[in-house]
Amino acid sequence: MSLLDIILLAIALAMDCFTVSIVCGVILRGEQRSSFVTYRLAFLFGLFQALMPLIGWLGISHFSQYLEAVDHWIAFGMLAFIGGKMIKESFDDAEGKHFDPCRLRTQLLLAVATSIDALAVGISFACTGYDTLSQLTQPLLMIGLASFVLSLLGYYLGRRFGSIITRRLKPELFGGFILILIGVKILLTHLL
């Protein structure tokens, strides 16, 4: 793969993180949260986007046929579950029970769910001549960095322009639908 191919791949993989980060920013637009939480979200997205291709590359000889058969269903299920929970909570009137993208558990679920499709990238690395871990270092770092940067950008865009969205729609309802749509996109991409 050329450097341009790796950059484009990194940006493409980061798009789900970017979108989910916008949703998180919209939900948290009016709250004062520490920047630690924001950077942790971006870090987890970048970390998992970089780790999943590595796991796919390492597991190609042992588990590839099992992973390829179900990875899209796992991603869809996780995103549909989180999105459905957000939609349900958008109709609850109880204060304090709403979806909180600042919780570590929620951030980990989102990071895993948005990066599962990157397993296939790791498998493709193994099939296109990446034979050693040192050859993977640059692509994995670029994938992680692109996801980190685009996650931060998405979060701040969501916080900045979230009021436009929330005037017409509850942020959790909007976010839930977005997560479900990302899950459906992943599922359809693999099934078609």
Side-chain angles (χ1 to χ4, degrees):
M1 284 186 152
S2 70
L3 181 61
L4 179 61
D5 290 338
I6 294 169
I7 291 170
L8 293 174
L9 174 67
I11 292 169
L13 285 175
M15 285 297 110
D16 288 345
C17 299
F18 176 72
T19 306
V20 172
S21 295
I22 290 173
V23 170
C24 292
V26 168
I27 290 171
L28 298 173
R29 80 199 180 295
E31 297 183 30
Q32 294 298 326
R33 298 289 179 142
S34 85
S35 59
F36 170 75
V37 172
T38 305
Y39 282 95
R40 182 179 68 193
L41 176 70
F43 173 77
L44 289 172
F45 279 166
L47 177 68
F48 278 87
Q49 284 291 344
L51 279 179
M52 288 299 187
L54 177 61
I55 292 169
W57 180 80
L58 289 171
I60 185 68
S61 61
H62 302 295
F63 305 109
S64 65
Q65 67 272 18
Y66 304 115
L67 294 176
E68 286 181 39
V70 297
D71 65 349
H72 50 283
W73 287 106
I74 294 169
F76 170 73
M78 291 176 75
L79 289 168
F81 173 75
I82 296 167
K85 187 174 183 209
M86 286 174 68
I87 291 169
K88 179 188 169 292
E89 289 175 354
S90 74
F91 293 105
D92 291 345
D93 290 332
E95 236 3 82
K97 290 192 174 189
H98 292 283
F99 177 79
D100 185 5
C102 292
R103 292 178 45 211
L104 178 61
R105 184 175 136 224
T106 302
Q107 290 182 349
L108 284 169
L109 278 172
L110 290 171
V112 169
T114 57
S115 65
I116 285 179
D117 59 340
L119 280 169
V121 171
I123 293 168
S124 71
F125 282 154
C127 297
T128 57
Y130 286 87
D131 299 321
T132 64
L133 191 57
S134 63
Q135 290 176 313
L136 280 177
T137 303
Q138 181 188 29
L140 295 179
L141 288 175
M142 292 180 85
I143 290 168
L145 182 63
S147 295
F148 176 80
V149 170
L150 287 175
S151 295
L152 283 178
L153 178 64
Y155 178 81
Y156 288 115
L157 285 173
R159 282 191 63 104
R160 175 75 171 105
F161 299 106
S163 60
I164 295 167
I165 296 167
T166 57
R167 276 188 224 136
R168 304 187 195 293
L169 190 65
K170 295 179 181 180
E172 289 172 328
L173 182 64
F174 170 75
F177 282 121
I178 293 295
L179 292 181
I180 291 171
L181 286 174
I182 291 171
V184 169
K185 179 199 81 150
I186 290 169
L187 187 62
L188 290 177
T189 300
H190 286 275
L191 293 178
L192 299 178

